[in-house]
Amino acid sequence: MTDAVPEAPPSDYRLLVPRDWFRVDLTQDRWRGQLKTYVDKEFAGSRTPPEAARTVWVALRNTAESGRSRGALEFFLRSESPEGSALPASLLISWPPMPRGAALTPEEFAGALAQRRGPGADVDIIDLPAGRTVQVRGETTLDFHIRMPGDAGYFHLAFSMPLSGTDSPMGDLCDAMAHSLRWV
């Protein structure tokens, strides 16, 4: 049995994320230190050149900064390789600011995203337990734009799987995480 989607805007959300995913709270000023801790931990003891760790740090920092400018709340990271030498699988959770009642319908939003993303991405409207969702699946990215209750806009779950791609067990895990979203 699925929970009913509330009519009023939620005060919070719950999302099941595996314990081995490293969480960075982007709402706090200490996010850079948290990100640095992740990179240091992943590259500790590896034979990877320091430039590679620096490249990963810069890429993750830029992703976090760009996300923060668009309402990002949390950033989850998990290494896709045992050596930690590759870019990690990630989840960026955002609630982009939007005036209440200004959000497009899921059909309109899906159309706009399909035009912006081009022919390489699959854009579908699906029903998650949290509500109507515009899902955008690329080769290595999987985005869920969940329409929030109370006409509060869209909640965005942006998954990236640079090594395994979306058609993989990691892609299935990311899909399951999105299906676990519940409003509080």
Side-chain angles (χ1 to χ4, degrees), residues 9-143:
S11 60
D12 205 354
Y13 63 93
R14 288 195 180 115
L15 185 71
L16 297 176
V17 179
R19 289 182 187 173
D20 62 344
W21 286 58
F22 187 89
R23 179 181 179 262
V24 177
D25 184 349
L26 296 175
T27 65
Q28 303 293 320
D29 287 334
R30 64 181 183 266
W31 69 267
R32 282 184 182 85
Q34 292 174 335
L35 207 51
K36 180 84 168 87
T37 297
Y38 172 80
V39 172
D40 290 347
K41 184 182 104 182
E42 289 300 310
F43 286 91
S46 77
R47 296 181 187 174
T48 308
E51 299 82 35
R54 175 100 175 116
T55 300
V56 169
W57 156 248
V58 169
L60 294 175
R61 185 202 62 212
N62 291 346
T63 299
E65 286 177 347
S66 175
R68 278 179 49 105
S69 71
R70 295 183 181 112
L73 305 170
E74 296 180 286
F75 196 19
F76 287 90
L77 304 159
R78 183 183 182 276
S79 178
E80 281 198 274
S81 71
E83 301 84 34
S85 61
L87 287 177
S90 65
L91 164 60
L92 186 66
I93 300 173
S94 305
W95 180 19
M98 178 177 294
R100 193 163 173 196
L104 300 173
T105 66
E107 292 76 17
E108 294 167 334
F109 194 41
L113 286 174
Q115 284 181 347
R116 187 179 327 151
R117 295 285 179 112
D122 294 328
V123 179
D124 295 306
I125 299 171
I126 62 172
D127 287 314
L128 292 182
R132 299 277 290 159
T133 301
V134 178
Q135 177 185 1
V136 182
R137 181 181 295 270
E139 212 172 288
T140 60
T141 59
L142 182 57
D143 293 310

Side-chain angles (χ1 to χ4, degrees), residues 150-174:
D151 212 12
Y154 283 89
F155 193 74
H156 185 197
L157 303 176
F159 294 95
S160 174
M161 298 141 275
L163 292 180
S164 61
T166 56
D167 190 20
S168 68
M170 181 63 77
D172 294 342
L173 174 63
C174 294

